[in-house]
Amino acid sequence: GGAGERLEQVEVFDLFRGGPLGEGRKSLAIRLTFRDPQRTLTDEDLVPVRGRIVEGVAAALGGRLRGG
């Protein structure tokens, strides 16, 4: 998948529906935990991964990054 082999855990920690989102829409907050057994990951390591995840969600579900 778009997250790659380093993705260790996915957790939905907030779900919001209604209000300004409009009918049938929801906002999810998701925590992704990445781990590499060989070294410490940096923000730079995960920038392309984040981009692939955002693109995958948009393609599969029509979703978008909040504020984006």
Side-chain angles (χ1 to χ4, degrees), residues 3-57:
E5 297 174 359
R6 297 173 176 162
L7 180 63
E8 180 178 80
Q9 182 177 355
V10 177
E11 176 187 1
V12 176
F13 65 90
D14 191 26
L15 169 63
F16 177 78
R17 295 179 197 203
L21 294 176
E23 183 71 26
R25 299 193 67 158
K26 58 185 148 189
S27 175
L28 296 173
I30 302 170
R31 178 178 295 116
L32 305 173
T33 303
F34 294 88
R35 187 175 316 273
D36 187 321
Q38 306 300 318
R39 64 187 182 85
T40 300
L41 296 171
T42 66
D43 289 342
E44 291 79 26
D45 291 324
L46 297 176
V47 167
V49 174
R50 182 178 186 258
R52 288 193 303 270
I53 292 168
V54 171
E55 290 171 6
V57 168

